[in-house]
């Protein structure tokens, strides 16, 4: 089976204007550059584009990345680079999504290049090794002159053009101070950083002042980066974090994924990863070229196959190593010794220490949820202890998000919050745990949504793409909004530069602090945000009848001192026995996505909700007891939606509101029970997504969902499949408690949803886009469905 290529490194110029002494092209064993044409011809580019188009059509590849490389690619000049980009886009647009990048030393980057790259949507990466001292150790002109000032000017040009600023690439030298390097790069505001271990082999080992010098250097940066709130992505660190949780790597230097990269030189010859030039003369050569050979020919070349063997292709030492599934044996080049690649990496000790350190940090951030709990959740259920593990992780995530909002806090509010955290932590935690506090925090950090009338929030474009997972409950569709999956650390680490309205929205932190002060019985005088004439305090209540966009709230011994004309409305709850949930009809940040939230309910409607909820919960406890412990442990809030059209039962779940489900009041308590069970599945899986990579998030294909006409992104299909386990189980069990026409309907619904949901698990596995952990998770889902027979009333 062929692994299709998705990354193409196109050498557009074979010479360079710097003389970096660590360069793998000019300073190591392979000297084939000397016989290559200086620049690639447009005739060769046209043939390259035709070969790529042929390849992606044959293998249904939807996204590819082409990196314009060298040598120094800017030596190709403005016109030639424009022609190359146009040729590639002309051949590939409409066939696949082409992501164009250029990796440059930056010394020739001028405004004309920047205009060209912006017009043709080319992302620009700059090679820079840190501050002046670090950079000038290696990146100099042949005369010995420093390149630092020119590179910094290039970076400043890119900072002024953020749409083309791709990031910084830093080659590690352990002689440089790691924190000085990190701070110098951070100061340049890169959207991402990549750290590269120097290209070395066992025959030509790297400079090594201590056995784990490179790990120690990187760990110092990781710890500082982590303490800083991860202000930008660092590819090596993120790759390790993903792989230790069973996900796919973002880098060829880490992980077991087969290589999907091919290099095309200026003469049209195909090569393997060009770091192999450090091993022996001719190491990356295939003997193939774009005129005589297809990319499929390259994909089955013995050298390509050898690099794609995964775990099987590693040395015995590597296969026995406990971190091998993250490390992956390291970069293939780094394994070379005495004519063989059947060795551990020359950085083996460094990789072991680095992966172990980052793996421990990752486990701490995910609260080390054991496989047994993850398996229990994967079956579609999960008991109170399993949900508590998810809740613990959510607690840490919320605190990270709140910490990231510190620059947006109004004057004096952060000090009040930290005081409450010191003296009334449990009270503060109960307020922060309100589901829509996280929705608000994410909103501030992303700054991508505009509030509509009545405080309703419009979904981000990514949420529209994920869309609504429509199924059927009762007599009509169940609708839900499911937003773009983001790691909490990703959101917190993004900082506030992209916040847009973030500073304005950050004022709401005062309302959160005021709510905690009320619950703690504290005295407080604090300006809080007013929306549509109301100041809302999460988990506490709403002060209505106010003017303007803020009011000075006075709290004495935990009681609101309201001015004449203002009305205090406490938060209301729904209860059944000893279990209760908040009836959330006032929070301006309640997020119900595509279905409008109801406004403040009158007492008659609240009474109707109370009656329906009380009966629905009794039904769940009696007939669906396997769901009750998880719901008790995780469902804290029920948000009323605007009344559905006749014949429809509508519900939704907000991706960032752990613990909340939303629904329009249905006709009967049985339907409400179904809506709650169905939507809480999304709550659970969303929390799992915060911790684990179950699928390749780079996969942009759409998949058929049996319960929908429109195809779904992989995440939407996985969410819908998981939620419909509960729908299937509802009807499976209901067949035992109803008679007559209701029994006939329950049997029909059960068989329909069992078939639909089982078929969807097959589609998920067949996508080949699940991680190893994702395959395990979906396997448990399928086992649950397959264990339920199709015989009537069994």
């Amino acid at each position: 089976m062929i692994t299709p290529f998705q990354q193409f490194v196109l050498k557009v110029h074979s010479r360079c204007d710097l003389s970096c002494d660590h360069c793998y092209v000019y300073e190591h064993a392979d000297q084939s550059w000397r016989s290559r044409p200086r620049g690639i011809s447009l005739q060769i580019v046209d043939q390259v584009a035709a070969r790529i188009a042929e390849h992606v059509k044959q293998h249904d590849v939807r996204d590819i990345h082409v990196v314009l490389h060298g040598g120094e690619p800017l030596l190709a000049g403005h016109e030639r680079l424009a022609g190359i980009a146009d040729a590639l886009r002309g051949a590939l647009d409409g066939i696949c999504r082409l992501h164009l990048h250029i990796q440059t030393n930056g010394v020739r980057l001028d405004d004309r290049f920047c205009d060209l790259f912006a017009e043709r949507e080319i992302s620009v990466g700059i090679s820079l090794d840190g501050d002046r001292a670090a950079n000038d150790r290696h990146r100099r002109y042949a005369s010995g002159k420093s390149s630092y000032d020119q590179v910094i000017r290039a970076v400043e040009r890119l900072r002024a053009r953020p749409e083309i600023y791709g990031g910084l690439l830093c080659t590690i030298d352990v002689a440089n101070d790691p924190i000085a390097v990190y701070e110098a790069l951070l100061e340049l505001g890169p959207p991402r950083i990549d750290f590269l271990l120097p290209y070395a082999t066992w025959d030509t080992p790297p400079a090594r002042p201590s056995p784990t010098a490179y790990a120690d250097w990187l760990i110092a940066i990781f710890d500082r980066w982590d303490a800083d709130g991860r202000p930008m992505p660092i590819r090596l660190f993120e790759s390790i974090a993903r792989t230790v949780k069973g996900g796919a790597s973002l880098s060829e230097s880490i992980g077991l994924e087969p290589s999907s990269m091919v290099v095309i030189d200026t003469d049209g010859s195909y090569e393997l990863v060009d770091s192999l030039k450090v091993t022996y003369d001719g190491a990356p050569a295939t003997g193939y070229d774009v005129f005589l050979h297809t990319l499929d020919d390259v994909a089955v070349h013995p050298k390509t196959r050898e690099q794609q063997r995964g775990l099987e292709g590693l040395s015995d030492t590597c296969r026995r190593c406990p971190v091998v599934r993250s490390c992956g044996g390291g970069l293939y080049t780094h394994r070379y010794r005495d004519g063989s690649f059947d060795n551990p990496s020359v950085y083996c000790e460094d990789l072991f220490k680095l992966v172990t350190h980052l793996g421990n940090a990752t486990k701490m951030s995910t609260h080390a949820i054991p496989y047994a709990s993850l398996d229990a959740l994967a079956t579609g259920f999960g008991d109170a202890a399993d949900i508590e593990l998810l809740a613990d992780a959510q607690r840490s995530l919320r605190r990270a998000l709140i910490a990231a909002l510190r620059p947006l806090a109004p004057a004096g509010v952060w000090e009040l919050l930290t005081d409450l955290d010191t003296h009334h932590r449990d009270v503060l935690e109960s307020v922060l745990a309100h589901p829509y506090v996280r929705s608000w925090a994410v909103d501030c950090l992303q700054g991508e949504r505009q509030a509509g009338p009545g405080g309703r929030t419009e979904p981000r474009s990514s949420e529209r793409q994920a869309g609504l997972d429509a199924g059927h409950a009762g007599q009509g569709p169940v609708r839900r909004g499911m937003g773009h999956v983001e790691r909490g650390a990703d959101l917190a680490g993004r900082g506030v530069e992209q916040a847009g309205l973030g500073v304005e929205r950050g004022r709401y932190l005062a309302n959160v602090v005021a709510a905690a002060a009320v619950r703690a019985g504290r005295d407080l005088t604090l300006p809080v945000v007013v929306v549509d004439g109301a100041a809302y305090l999460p988990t506490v209540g709403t002060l209505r009848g106010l003017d303007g966009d803020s009011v000075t709230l006075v709290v004495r011994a935990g009681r609101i001192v309201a001015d004449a004309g203002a009305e205090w409305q406490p938060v209301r709850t729904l209860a059944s026995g000893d279990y209760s949930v908040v009836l959330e009809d006032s929070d301006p940040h309640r997020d119900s996505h595509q279905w409008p939230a109801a406004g403040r309910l009158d007492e008659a409607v609240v009474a109707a909700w109370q009656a329906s909820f009380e009966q629905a919960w009794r039904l769940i406890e009696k007939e669906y007891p396997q769901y009750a412990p998880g719901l008790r442990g995780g469902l804290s809030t029920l948000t009323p939606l605007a009344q559905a059209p006749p014949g429809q039962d509508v519900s939704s779940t907000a991706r960032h509101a752990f613990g909340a489900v939303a629904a329009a009041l249905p006709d009967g308590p049985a339907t409400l029970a179904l809506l709650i069970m169905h939507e809480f599945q999304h709550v659970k899986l969303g929390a799992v997504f915060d911790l684990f990579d179950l699928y390749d998030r780079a996969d942009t294909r759409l998949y058929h969902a049996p319960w929908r006409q429109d195809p779904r992104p992989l995440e939407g299909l996985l969410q819908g499949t998981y939620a419909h386990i509960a729908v299937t189980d509802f009807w499976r069990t209901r067949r035992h408690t109803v008679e007559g026409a209701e029994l006939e309907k329950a049997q029909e619904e059960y068989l329909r949803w069992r078939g639909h949901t089982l078929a969807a698990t097959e589609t998920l596995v067949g996508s080949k886009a699940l991680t190893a952990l994702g395959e395990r998770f979906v396997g448990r889902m399928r086992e649950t469905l397959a264990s339920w027979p199709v015989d009537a009333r069994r």
Side-chain angles (χ1 to χ4, degrees):
M1 180 178 176
I2 287 178
T3 299
F5 295 111
Q6 295 177 281
Q7 302 175 70
F8 303 86
V9 176
L10 185 59
K11 298 301 187 86
V12 299
H13 205 281
S14 65
R15 305 299 191 266
C16 189
D17 42 7
L18 294 183
S19 183
C20 306
D21 59 16
H22 56 14
C23 179
Y24 61 84
V25 176
Y26 306 108
E27 302 297 330
H28 289 276
D30 185 283
Q31 292 291 297
S32 59
W33 66 273
R34 297 180 184 275
S35 61
R36 309 285 191 199
R38 286 180 175 268
I40 195 169
S41 70
L42 290 181
Q43 179 189 13
I44 291 176
V45 173
D46 288 339
Q47 185 64 17
V48 169
R51 288 299 191 195
I52 295 175
E54 172 187 53
H55 187 68
V56 299
K57 283 192 289 186
Q58 183 172 351
H59 297 285
D60 193 29
V61 177
R62 304 295 180 87
D63 285 83
I64 65 165
H65 295 260
V66 176
V67 182
L68 308 181
H69 214 279
E72 169 48 49
L74 297 189
L75 288 172
H78 304 89
E79 289 78 11
R80 179 59 56 89
L81 287 176
I84 291 169
D86 292 344
L88 291 168
R89 292 226 180 264
L92 297 171
D93 281 357
I95 297 175
C96 63
R97 282 180 285 273
L98 170 62
H99 305 273
L100 272 177
H101 314 268
I102 192 166
Q103 187 64 39
T104 171
N105 61 35
V107 298
R108 291 176 177 263
L109 187 71
D110 57 21
D111 290 336
R112 186 179 171 193
F113 273 127
C114 290
D115 290 341
L116 184 160
F117 297 148
E119 290 168 3
R120 288 162 174 83
E121 299 181 34
I122 301 175
S123 171
V124 185
I126 296 286
S127 299
L128 177 67
D129 290 347
D131 57 12
R132 182 185 296 274
N135 196 68
D136 286 352
R137 285 185 186 275
H138 304 286
R139 298 187 183 277
R140 292 179 173 269
Y141 290 93
S143 65
K145 177 185 173 184
S146 169
S147 65
Y148 182 75
D149 291 335
Q150 290 93 327
V151 179
I152 294 301
R153 280 197 292 271
V155 174
E156 292 303 331
R157 281 191 169 94
L158 293 179
R159 295 185 73 180
R161 309 287 292 270
E163 71 276 14
I164 61 171
Y165 189 8
L168 301 176
L169 175 66
C170 172
T171 300
I172 298 165
D173 187 331
V174 293
N176 296 323
D177 183 301
I179 301 305
V181 168
Y182 167 79
E183 290 177 343
L185 299 178
L186 179 64
E187 187 177 351
L188 297 174
R192 62 190 54 82
I193 294 176
D194 200 7
F195 288 108
L196 290 184
L197 291 166
Y199 292 119
T201 71
W202 289 100
D203 294 343
T204 55
R208 188 180 295 283
S210 68
T212 57
Y214 292 89
D216 296 337
W217 196 92
L218 285 164
I219 287 170
I221 290 180
F222 172 82
D223 289 347
R224 169 64 183 278
W225 173 71
D226 193 45
D228 285 349
R230 306 187 177 193
M232 79 301 248
I234 295 180
R235 187 168 67 152
L236 177 60
F237 298 160
E238 294 195 329
S239 293
I240 293 173
R242 287 165 64 100
T243 54
V244 298
K245 294 186 290 182
S249 175
L250 303 171
S251 168
E252 63 176 340
S253 63
I254 288 290
L256 289 170
E257 291 79 18
S259 173
S260 63
M261 177 189 294
V262 65
V263 179
I264 304 168
D265 219 316
T266 55
D267 61 355
S269 60
Y270 294 114
E271 291 191 337
L272 306 182
V273 289
D274 47 359
S275 64
L276 285 169
K277 293 178 184 294
V278 308
T279 61
Y280 63 89
D281 193 21
T286 64
Y288 294 173
D289 66 70
V290 295
F291 292 101
L292 299 178
H293 302 90
T294 68
L295 282 160
D296 277 12
D297 292 332
V298 183
V300 298
H301 191 285
K303 286 186 175 180
T304 305
R305 291 293 204 194
E306 182 61 29
Q307 292 187 47
Q308 295 181 338
R309 293 173 61 205
L311 186 64
E312 180 187 350
L314 299 182
S315 68
D316 289 341
T317 301
C318 289
R319 288 199 297 270
R320 292 193 300 267
C321 180
V323 303
V324 66
R325 294 195 175 274
S326 179
C327 166
L331 187 69
Y332 186 75
T333 298
H334 294 158
R335 306 174 203 167
Y336 184 75
R337 173 162 48 189
D338 297 332
S340 171
F341 292 91
D342 188 24
N343 307 290
S345 169
V346 71
Y347 293 103
C348 179
E349 290 187 64
D350 296 288
L351 290 172
F352 185 90
K353 184 172 184 178
L354 180 64
V355 170
T356 300
H357 183 86
L358 270 65
N360 287 337
T362 300
K363 289 175 183 176
M364 288 175 63
S365 69
T366 61
H367 296 258
I369 290 181
Y371 274 128
S373 290
L374 191 62
D375 283 345
L377 291 164
T379 64
F381 304 109
D383 61 18
D386 302 321
I387 301 303
E388 181 60 27
L389 289 170
L390 294 180
D392 284 345
Q394 290 292 309
R395 190 173 300 117
S396 296
L397 174 55
R398 286 191 300 268
R399 294 183 72 85
L401 289 169
I402 296 298
L405 291 172
R406 182 175 182 174
L408 304 181
V413 170
W414 190 259
E415 292 71 21
L416 288 170
L417 183 136
T418 55
D419 181 67
L420 285 164
D421 194 39
T422 300
H423 297 100
H424 305 280
R425 172 164 289 196
D426 289 345
V427 171
L428 179 62
E429 287 287 358
S430 67
V431 175
L432 296 182
H434 186 58
Y436 300 118
V437 169
R438 173 177 167 180
S439 290
W440 156 74
V442 169
D443 223 16
C444 286
L445 292 172
Q446 291 185 327
E448 296 171 3
R449 290 186 279 183
Q450 300 292 328
R456 183 170 166 232
T457 304
E458 292 299 323
R460 295 178 291 275
S461 59
S462 57
E463 287 165 344
R464 292 192 181 100
Q465 179 183 4
L468 301 177
D469 184 16
H472 289 279
Q475 300 176 7
V478 177
R479 301 194 181 186
R480 55 167 283 276
M482 186 271 294
H484 181 57
V485 173
E486 299 266 10
R487 287 292 184 274
D490 294 340
L491 292 169
R494 185 172 298 181
V496 297
E497 292 186 10
Q498 302 179 28
L501 298 176
V503 173
E504 178 66 19
R505 292 174 183 239
R507 295 191 302 123
Y508 183 72
L509 186 61
N511 297 53
V512 175
V513 168
V518 170
R519 296 186 61 160
R522 295 278 297 271
D523 289 349
L524 182 74
T525 302
L526 186 69
V528 296
V529 172
V530 174
V531 176
D532 291 340
Y536 178 79
L537 307 186
T539 76
V540 178
T542 308
L543 191 62
R544 297 188 182 274
L546 305 173
D547 295 323
D549 61 1
S550 68
V551 67
T552 298
L553 187 73
V554 179
V555 180
R556 293 291 177 262
R559 297 178 62 86
I560 305 293
V561 181
D563 293 336
E567 179 188 4
W568 175 250
Q569 297 174 338
V571 163
R572 295 177 291 196
T573 61
L574 304 175
S576 182
D578 61 349
Y579 176 53
S580 65
V581 296
V582 169
L583 182 67
E584 185 51 86
D585 60 356
S586 298
D587 192 326
H589 299 282
R590 63 194 187 280
D591 190 347
S592 56
H593 296 297
Q594 301 279 13
W595 199 263
R600 176 77 176 181
L601 304 180
D602 63 35
E603 293 304 321
V605 177
V606 172
W609 269 104
Q610 169 59 38
S612 186
F613 177 79
E614 184 172 11
Q615 295 177 64
W617 182 250
R618 289 176 181 171
L619 179 69
I620 290 172
E621 287 192 309
K622 179 182 178 181
E623 299 181 9
Y624 305 94
Q626 65 271 41
Y627 292 91
L631 286 165
R632 275 183 176 272
L635 180 63
S636 65
T637 304
L638 203 160
T639 299
L641 299 179
Q643 192 61 44
Q648 290 189 6
D649 296 304
V650 180
S651 61
S652 71
T653 307
R655 172 63 182 87
H656 295 296
F658 177 81
V661 302
L665 183 64
D667 289 338
T671 302
L672 180 58
L674 170 56
L675 296 179
I676 289 172
M677 290 165 55
H678 171 255
E679 293 302 335
F680 192 67
Q681 296 289 94
H682 293 302
V683 172
K684 291 189 292 184
L685 190 57
V688 170
F689 281 165
D690 281 331
L691 305 178
F692 301 102
D693 285 311
L694 300 186
Y695 64 95
D696 181 2
R697 289 198 275 171
D699 186 278
T700 58
R701 292 173 292 173
L702 298 177
Y703 299 88
H704 170 66
W707 50 86
R708 295 182 63 106
Q709 292 183 345
D710 55 320
R712 312 295 298 128
L714 189 66
E715 178 192 337
L717 180 62
L718 180 52
Q719 276 273 11
T721 307
Y722 187 73
H724 285 120
I725 292 175
V727 174
T728 305
D729 200 17
F730 176 87
W731 293 113
R732 180 183 73 91
T733 302
R734 191 149 181 81
R735 298 173 306 161
H736 298 270
T737 61
V738 294
E739 300 291 344
E742 287 189 64
L743 171 58
E744 183 178 342
K745 176 184 176 181
Q747 177 69 4
E748 178 184 338
E749 292 290 318
Y750 166 62
L751 293 177
R752 180 161 68 97
W753 286 114
R754 182 183 183 277
H756 283 349
T757 313
L758 265 174
T761 64
E762 298 294 341
T763 301
L764 288 166
V765 173
S767 72
K768 304 299 183 185
L770 298 177
T771 65
L773 198 61
E775 289 180 355
R776 177 180 177 139
F777 194 92
V778 172
R780 297 294 188 274
M781 291 165 56
R782 194 183 190 289
E783 287 173 8
T784 295
L785 292 159
S787 71
W788 294 334
V790 296
D791 295 343
R793 303 199 68 173
R794 284 184 56 192

